[in-house]
Amino acid sequence: MSVTRIDDIQMAYTDQGLGRPVVLIHGYPFNRSLWNEQVAVLSSSYRVVTPDLRGFGETDPSPGPATMNRMADDVARLMDHLGISQAVIGGLSMGGYVALAFCKQFPSRVRALVLADTRAQADTEEAKQTRAQQAEKALSEGMAGIADAMLPKLLTPETVSKRPEVVKRVRDMMLKTRPEGAASALLGMAEREDQTPLLSQIASPTLILAGSDDAITPVADSEKMHNAIAGSRLVVIENAGHVSNLERTDEFNQNLIDFLRNAGA
Ligand code: MLT
């Protein structure tokens, strides 16, 4: 793990392997260890950078909403620090929101794009209110209640009942998240803009991965992105929920590797 100063925070990240850079951005309320299995296979051919986003893992939180634009800017600043001008940018769920914000702000720095279990639309008014309530709950009660409520939405019922090691992994990541970091990200996600108009302007090769049973960002959200991003590839990973890279690691990795090869990345 390495750390660098980005504006007001110390940002933690890993930078592993040699080759063309691939930046993988974790979702909420996780940390860079979400990508351990992807780093393990990709780093023999690529330089894989996995940041802990603002307020997550070992990166400092900051007061107020951690907006997707701010997090995208943090990623760009981290790339500057590492001497990376252009990279494959991949994100899962909130990481996908950050990846889309990155595409909008820094299109020339995106060599190829990977959007996993995510969506382009903004929150509905109802979802914004729920985010605000969840932020208060995280601050007043800590992460245990949030983790319990989220788990059944993150994983398929089969994974919940038969794969205790995956359940533990996901739960532990959530419990390690600092409530201030989670609250800031919730408020930041609630503020995020609708990126639907951006989709038709994306010129980078794009892979969209979706768990067939994703209860948080349903396959229909991925289909919308696929229809709007010219030349994009959509892969639905069967028997996977929202955290498809952990539930169906082999399929996820194989699709990622094939895409990177075909995209010449
Ligand atoms: C995530 O996995 O990053 C979040 O569930 C996304 C969201 O809450 O919209």
Side-chain angles (χ1 to χ4, degrees):
M1 192 265 287
S2 307
V3 172
T4 187
R5 184 106 208 142
I6 307 273
D7 288 336
D8 54 334
I9 55 164
Q10 290 284 112
M11 187 167 198
Y13 62 95
T14 53
D15 178 7
Q16 213 169 307
L18 294 174
R20 295 216 165 140
V22 177
V23 178
L24 296 177
I25 308 172
H26 65 79
Y28 162 92
F30 306 133
N31 58 57
R32 67 182 194 282
S33 73
L34 175 73
W35 298 113
N36 284 352
E37 285 78 359
Q38 284 67 51
V39 174
V41 295
L42 292 182
S43 59
S44 53
S45 311
Y46 297 92
R47 178 180 183 186
V48 191
V49 176
T50 52
D52 275 340
L53 291 173
R54 188 173 278 266
F56 292 89
E58 289 160 274
T59 293
D60 295 335
S62 55
T67 64
M68 303 302 100
N69 286 339
R70 184 95 200 258
M71 290 189 185
D73 198 56
D74 292 339
V75 172
R77 299 282 299 276
L78 176 63
M79 287 167 62
D80 293 343
H81 168 72
L82 298 173
I84 298 172
S85 54
Q86 199 188 45
V88 176
I89 304 290
L92 184 137
S93 198
M94 181 182 76
Y97 308 157
V98 176
L100 286 171
F102 187 99
C103 273
K104 183 155 185 191
Q105 291 181 70
F106 312 104
S108 64
R109 303 191 73 170
V110 183
R111 182 169 180 83
L113 180 63
V114 180
L115 298 169
D117 302 296
T118 191
R119 62 159 69 87
Q121 308 94 284
D123 278 357
T124 60
E125 282 312 312
E126 193 189 342
K128 286 181 196 188
Q129 281 172 21
T130 307
R131 300 262 196 221
Q133 287 159 6
Q134 292 289 306
E136 276 178 28
K137 188 174 157 80
L139 292 174
S140 59
E141 295 172 24
M143 292 303 289
I146 292 197
D148 287 342
M150 272 191 93
L151 254 176
K153 297 188 204 150
L154 294 168
L155 303 168
T156 62
E158 196 189 342
T159 301
V160 171
S161 62
K162 296 196 183 137
R163 296 177 66 194
E165 73 293 352
V166 176
V167 174
K168 181 171 178 348
R169 171 94 180 272
V170 170
R171 195 177 154 76
D172 284 352
M173 272 193 291
M174 294 196 278
L175 293 180
K176 269 191 202 150
T177 296
R178 273 172 287 193
E180 315 89 274
S184 290
L186 284 161
L187 300 178
M189 284 193 279
E191 277 186 21
R192 77 186 191 282
E193 64 191 289
D194 179 13
Q195 299 289 17
T196 307
L198 169 77
L199 300 176
S200 61
Q201 294 164 38
I202 293 176
S204 323
T206 300
L207 172 65
I208 300 165
L209 294 163
S212 59
D213 302 325
D214 187 338
I216 295 182
T217 48
V219 171
D221 290 340
S222 290
E223 284 168 347
K224 281 188 196 147
M225 295 192 292
H226 174 52
N227 290 336
I229 304 177
S232 61
R233 176 167 166 67
L234 168 64
V235 177
V236 176
I237 302 181
E238 292 304 323
N239 303 316
H242 188 58
V243 199
S244 59
N245 68 318
L246 286 184
E247 282 191 284
R248 293 284 169 250
T249 302
D250 292 346
E251 291 93 322
F252 191 100
N253 287 353
Q254 197 53 56
N255 280 292
L256 190 52
I257 289 166
D258 291 348
F259 168 73
L260 293 176
R261 275 200 201 119
N262 290 336

